[in-house]
């Protein structure tokens, strides 16, 4: 007797895709900004400065009022000193006089000799030279070169680790297929044209 049922199983079908782990290098980027600072040439000069002070020279020719008063005061002092000396010397002579000496005549002679001055007018004016000094010349040269300023902006570089990956895809689901392979079933069985009665007598 042939089997009436044929059973077929279909296994599951799985597709697996793997991705390996990798280490990627991330490159950095760099930017630079350049700015220029201009220099220049600077020259500063100062000429010679001559200072001439003619105050004393002018005073020796035409003295000022204050200088005249000072000079007259000095002459008054000198005259007082000389008169005091003269009177003291004359007083000494008067005390030492003897009879018969001509003291008055001697005083007159001395006074004439002292007051006698030769008529010679020789003098140098101005009597004081001018005071001269000077400030030396100066020359300052300052040169500055142009300056370049660099501003760097650098991004960080590094390594990036990318882990591996496993991907499963079910391409065929499991199943069981049941197929009836027998002939038709008659009810009652005697309706089968190929029916053969069973022999129960043995």
């Amino acid at each position: 007797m042939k089997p009436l049922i044929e059973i077929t199983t279909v296994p599951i079908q799985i597709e697996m895709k793997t991705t390996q782990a990798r280490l990627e290098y991330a490159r950095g980027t760099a930017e630079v900004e350049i700015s220029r600072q201009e220099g220049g040439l600077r020259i500063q000069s100062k000429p010679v400065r001559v200072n001439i002070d003619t105050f004393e020279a002018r005073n020796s020719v035409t003295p000022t009022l204050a200088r005249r008063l000072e000079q007259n005061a000095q002459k008054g002092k000198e005259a007082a000193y000389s008169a005091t000396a003269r009177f003291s010397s004359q007083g000494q002579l008067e005390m030492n006089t003897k009879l018969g000496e001509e003291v008055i005549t001697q005083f007159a002679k001395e006074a004439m000799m002292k007051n006698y001055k030769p008529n010679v007018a020789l003098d140098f004016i101005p009597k004081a030279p001018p005071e001269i000094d000077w400030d030396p010349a100066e020359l300052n040269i300052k040169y500055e070169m142009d300056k370049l300023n660099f501003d760097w902006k650098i991004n960080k570089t590094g390594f990036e680790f990318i882990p591996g990956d496993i991907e499963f895809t079910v391409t065929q689901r499991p199943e069981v297929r049941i197929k009836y392979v027998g002939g038709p079933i008659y009810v009652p069985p005697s309706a089968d044209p190929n029916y053969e009665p069973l022999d129960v007598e043995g």
Side-chain angles (χ1 to χ4, degrees), residues 5-177:
I5 297 173
E6 181 179 342
I7 299 174
T8 306
T9 59
V10 178
I12 187 172
Q13 185 175 357
I14 299 174
E15 182 181 346
M16 184 176 63
K17 184 188 293 184
T18 61
T19 303
Q20 295 183 354
R22 64 185 184 275
L23 187 65
E24 290 186 353
Y25 174 71
R27 293 185 178 180
T29 58
E31 297 180 359
V32 60
E33 294 182 0
I34 302 176
S35 60
R36 179 182 178 185
Q37 183 178 354
E38 294 185 358
L41 177 65
R42 296 179 179 86
I43 300 176
Q44 183 179 5
S45 63
K46 181 180 178 182
V48 177
R49 181 178 178 180
V50 180
N51 302 317
I52 302 176
D53 186 3
T54 59
F55 181 76
E56 294 296 334
R58 286 185 287 107
N59 272 336
S60 65
V61 178
T62 55
T64 61
L65 179 60
R67 183 59 61 86
R68 285 181 181 178
L69 294 175
E70 182 181 355
Q71 290 175 354
N72 291 334
Q74 184 67 26
K75 288 180 180 178
K77 286 182 180 180
E78 293 176 357
Y81 291 152
S82 62
T84 302
R86 185 175 66 251
F87 288 147
S88 64
S89 63
Q90 289 178 359
Q92 184 69 24
L93 287 174
E94 288 177 353
M95 292 180 66
N96 294 329
T97 56
K98 296 179 181 179
L99 293 175
E101 292 182 356
E102 297 181 357
V103 179
I104 298 175
T105 305
Q106 186 177 356
F107 286 163
K109 284 183 180 180
E110 290 180 358
M112 288 181 63
M113 291 301 294
K114 288 182 180 179
N115 293 330
Y116 175 74
K117 294 181 180 179
N119 191 10
V120 178
L122 180 62
D123 198 359
F124 294 95
I125 55 173
K127 296 181 179 180
E131 297 180 2
I132 300 175
D133 62 349
W134 63 88
D135 297 330
E138 293 182 2
L139 179 62
N140 298 322
I141 300 176
K142 185 177 181 181
Y143 174 71
E144 292 183 358
M145 298 180 62
D146 293 349
K147 297 179 181 179
L148 293 178
N149 300 319
F150 296 89
D151 187 9
W152 290 92
K153 297 180 181 178
I154 302 175
N155 294 331
K156 293 182 179 180
T157 60
F159 294 90
E160 181 181 1
F161 175 74
I162 300 176
D165 187 21
I166 300 176
E167 182 181 352
F168 293 94
T169 305
V170 178
T171 58
Q172 176 64 51
R173 295 179 179 276
E175 59 179 325
V176 177
R177 298 175 182 175

